[in-house]
Amino acid sequence: MATARLDYVAPWWTYWLHNFPHFNFFFQSVDNTFTPEEASYQQSLIFLACVGAVGLGLSLLVLTVCLVCLCCCRRDLDEDTKRPDTCCLTWSAVITGLIICSAVGVGFYGNSETNDGVYQLTYSLYNANHTLGGLNNLVAGSLGNVQTGLKQHLERLDEIFSTNPDYLQSLRFMKLMVNNVIREMNTLPDITKANVDLAAIADQTALIEYYRWLTFLLLLILDLVICLAICLGMAKQSRWLLITIMAFVVLSMILSWASLGAGTATAVGTSDFCVSPDKFIVNQTKDFLSEDVAHYYLFCSPNLPNPFQQSLTICQRSLTTIQIQIQGLLQFSLPFFPTAERDLLGIQRLLNSTEFSLHQLTALLDCRGLHKDYLDALMGVCYDGVEGLLYLSLFSLLAACALSAMLCAIFRVWTLIGSRDKEYDDIDEEDPFNPEARRLSYNPRRSNIHSFCSYTSSLGSQASLHPPPQSASNVMPPPEYMNQSMLFGGSPRYENVPLIGRGSPPPSYSPSMRTTYLSMTDAQIRHFGTDFQV
């Protein structure tokens, strides 16, 4: 039995995932040995994939409860509160955004690690497939040289040396050696099936990995776009933009939970394989490889004998014996049978070619080349691949939870925007202290009223002003608020100027300015008469 192998040790996370409970659809425990062809084991992986569906259902339930609570809180909102406290809402949006950005960073790393592991697996499979293809070509070429070329030359030499019994005895001995070579070549394992399987597995794995990598890349980009769009929507206070964002958040949340289930099932199944890969490979290759040959390549231990060594030694000795016989015939038979030279030289060329192919075959059949490819594939799958799947599962979990919280925050912002619009719709336009109403109260037909600046410009400087003649005594003075407004040209930005009759000008007014201010107000009333009547 082979000794324990020390050059591959499964990482600790594969053992942790391997110990996950395996249940079928009837909640019965299933053996965690990697047997993908069994229906019960397939059901256990599907059961683990359903974790994403359970998480999605729970998140939707929590979201429903939160949205109902938010709707109830919106109905109970105090009508006198014009600006609700949004500090908690802002911090919630910031924290969820940071969590999503962190999760996206973890996802990019996990996606890259998984892709590197699968690339290493496919590279090793293609390399092993190239080695097995070379073995097939060498065996087929050597058999062709021996079965067709050597036999044809030996048959012609039988006719040439028919009169010499010694040479015929030598030819019979060479035929015996040729039969030994053919027999030992046929005992080599037929690895054509393994060659085809490796090529198909590598092609299918590369195709699946491409679509997996692209899907996760698009999901990561979608999460980043959602974070940027949420910032834009909250800044612009656009309800339609927030509704669109909520739809994409729900889509991303569903995809995140689905990727969590698929990643968990894949990681657990791969870990089951990584814990004991030798047993699975021996079972898969038992139809065309013996157990000792499979162990020779899987363990490649110095204590294991080479199962091909005996056959290769017999072939090498047989070819060497034939070569010695041919050299003797070339030396002694050509003076008597010159027509045999062509066939003897042809046999010598075929022997040289077959010996060269046999040396190449011996090197390729050595376990070190295929064993290295096997270890590289295991390292890629069990280290980089499973580690990347764990990071992708962490990304999916963080993103799904953060997106659920962000959906509640977006809905809260949407309700606050609706409440603010409703409050502005309830403002009384007739309120004189409403800035919008005061702007609307300005009538363009009153544009012929002279402003303070135009009046002073027509009378000269402020120091030379004199009151104009007193008009009729029955003219009612205009309201002080209108006096004030007309005094400053009807501009709304002077709406906070103190009323005249209260005798409390701003502290920045000097006494001379206040005197001029009051005198000009009285002068305007006497000069314009009823022009200020409202």
Side-chain angles (χ1 to χ4, degrees):
M1 189 66 183
T3 58
R5 184 180 51 189
L6 301 177
D7 47 6
Y8 168 74
V9 177
W12 63 267
W13 52 80
T14 57
Y15 287 101
W16 177 65
L17 292 171
H18 177 66
N19 292 326
F20 269 27
H22 293 61
F23 297 102
N24 57 14
F25 293 154
F26 303 101
F27 296 96
Q28 297 175 351
S29 180
V30 178
D31 186 16
N32 55 5
T33 304
F34 186 70
T35 52
E37 67 277 0
E38 295 184 2
S40 59
Y41 184 79
Q42 295 175 2
Q43 291 178 6
S44 66
L45 295 183
I46 297 174
F47 186 85
L48 288 173
C50 293
V51 172
V54 173
L56 177 60
L58 291 177
S59 63
L60 291 177
L61 179 61
V62 172
L63 280 174
T64 303
V65 174
C66 292
L67 295 180
V68 170
C69 293
L70 287 176
C71 292
C72 295
C73 293
R74 180 188 176 189
R75 293 178 181 178
D76 297 338
L77 186 66
D78 188 6
E79 295 180 356
D80 297 334
T81 305
K82 300 299 182 183
R83 290 182 177 272
D85 187 13
T86 59
C87 180
C88 294
L89 183 62
T90 303
W91 278 108
S92 299
V94 171
I95 291 174
T96 53
L98 290 177
I99 292 175
I100 291 177
C101 292
S102 302
V104 168
V106 173
F108 272 111
Y109 177 77
N111 199 31
S112 176
E113 283 292 302
T114 305
N115 185 258
D116 291 341
V118 176
Y119 174 78
Q120 190 171 354
L121 169 64
T122 55
Y123 179 80
S124 301
L125 290 177
Y126 283 128
N127 196 18
N129 181 72
H130 178 73
T131 302
L132 295 178
L135 287 173
N136 289 330
N137 293 332
L138 288 174
V139 171
S142 300
L143 282 175
N145 290 337
V146 174
Q147 288 178 344
T148 59
L150 287 179
K151 283 189 175 183
Q152 289 177 0
H153 287 296
L154 291 175
E155 289 176 357
R156 285 196 292 267
L157 288 175
D158 278 338
E159 296 177 357
I160 297 174
F161 297 145
S162 59
T163 59
N164 192 325
D166 296 332
Y167 294 158
L168 291 177
Q169 182 68 26
S170 178
L171 290 177
R172 284 193 293 270
F173 181 73
M174 284 191 290
K175 289 180 180 179
L176 180 62
M177 294 296 103
V178 169
N179 292 329
N180 290 337
V181 173
I182 295 174
R183 183 183 68 252
E184 296 300 328
M185 284 287 182
N186 288 325
T187 58
L188 295 178
D190 186 11
I191 51 181
T192 306
K193 190 176 187 309
N195 186 23
V196 175
D197 288 344
L198 287 181
I201 292 172
D203 293 337
Q204 188 175 7
T205 303
L207 182 63
I208 294 174
E209 169 58 20
Y210 172 74
Y211 286 109
R212 186 212 61 81
W213 174 83
L214 183 61
T215 301
F216 269 99
L217 182 63
L218 294 178
L219 181 58
L220 293 169
I221 295 175
L222 176 62
D223 289 344
L224 288 179
V225 171
I226 286 174
C227 291
L228 296 177
I230 286 174
C231 296
L232 180 62
M234 295 180 69
K236 294 181 68 66
Q237 301 290 306
S238 173
R239 299 189 71 186
W240 290 106
L241 182 57
L242 291 178
I243 292 174
T244 305
I245 294 173
M246 283 192 285
F248 281 102
V249 168
V250 172
L251 175 62
S252 180
M253 184 179 65
I254 294 174
L255 293 177
S256 297
W257 283 116
S259 64
L260 176 62
T264 303
T266 306
V268 171
T270 308
S271 298
D272 293 338
F273 167 77
C274 292
V275 168
S276 57
D278 304 324
K279 182 178 180 181
F280 173 75
I281 294 177
V282 169
N283 292 331
Q284 293 296 316
T285 58
K286 63 183 179 181
D287 295 335
F288 54 91
L289 286 181
S290 61
E291 187 174 352
D292 58 341
V293 173
H295 284 167
Y296 174 70
Y297 286 109
L298 293 177
F299 293 95
C300 195
S301 173
N303 298 327
L304 287 175
N306 188 343
F308 310 110
Q309 186 63 45
Q310 184 178 0
S311 298
L312 293 175
T313 302
I314 293 175
C315 290
Q316 183 65 43
R317 289 176 179 177
S318 300
L319 292 176
T320 303
T321 303
I322 297 174
Q323 189 74 266
I324 293 174
Q325 296 294 325
I326 292 299
Q327 289 178 356
L329 290 176
L330 285 173
Q331 183 178 2
F332 298 105
S333 66
L334 288 183
F336 304 99
F337 302 96
T339 57
E341 181 180 6
R342 178 181 177 184
D343 291 314
L344 291 174
L345 292 178
I347 291 175
Q348 194 174 39
R349 285 194 298 269
L350 289 176
L351 289 174
N352 293 332
S353 176
T354 305
E355 286 182 353
F356 180 75
S357 299
L358 188 63
H359 288 305
Q360 288 183 318
L361 186 62
T362 303
L364 289 179
L365 286 174
D366 188 78
C367 66
R368 288 173 292 182
L370 290 175
H371 182 66
K372 181 180 181 301
D373 296 332
Y374 174 63
L375 289 183
D376 290 341
L378 286 181
M379 293 296 180
V381 172
C382 301
Y383 280 83
D384 293 339
V386 178
E387 183 184 7
L389 288 176
L390 287 176
Y391 280 109
L392 288 177
S393 299
L394 178 61
F395 151 73
S396 300
L397 181 61
L398 291 177
C401 296
L403 287 171
S404 301
M406 181 170 285
L407 190 61
C408 293
I410 295 173
F411 184 78
R412 181 59 177 166
V413 171
W414 184 76
T415 56
L416 290 178
I417 294 175
S419 300
R420 185 199 62 180
D421 295 339
K422 183 177 180 181
E423 290 169 1
Y424 276 117
D425 292 338
D426 294 338
I427 294 177
D428 187 8
E429 295 182 357
E430 300 298 331
D431 186 2
F433 293 98
N434 180 13
E436 189 71 22
R438 288 197 295 272
R439 283 193 292 269
L440 293 175
S441 64
Y442 175 71
N443 193 347
R445 291 179 296 178
R446 298 176 182 176
S447 59
N448 57 350
I449 299 178
H450 299 282
S451 65
F452 172 75
C453 296
S454 63
Y455 180 75
T456 53
S457 63
S458 63
L459 296 180
S461 63
Q462 293 182 5
S464 63
L465 292 175
H466 297 285
Q470 185 70 24
S471 60
S473 60
N474 57 354
V475 176
M476 295 297 293
E480 293 183 354
Y481 182 81
M482 291 301 299
N483 275 340
Q484 209 176 350
S485 178
M486 294 304 105
L487 179 65
F488 289 93
S491 177
R493 65 190 185 93
Y494 295 105
E495 61 190 10
N496 294 324
V497 177
L499 298 179
I500 303 303
R502 296 182 179 179
S504 58
S508 59
Y509 288 164
S510 63
S512 61
M513 291 175 65
R514 183 176 183 276
T515 303
T516 305
Y517 180 83
L518 295 175
S519 63
M520 286 304 300
T521 302
D522 295 335
Q524 282 181 323
I525 295 172
R526 291 190 297 269
H527 179 72
F528 291 99
T530 61
D531 288 343
F532 290 103
Q533 295 295 331
V534 181

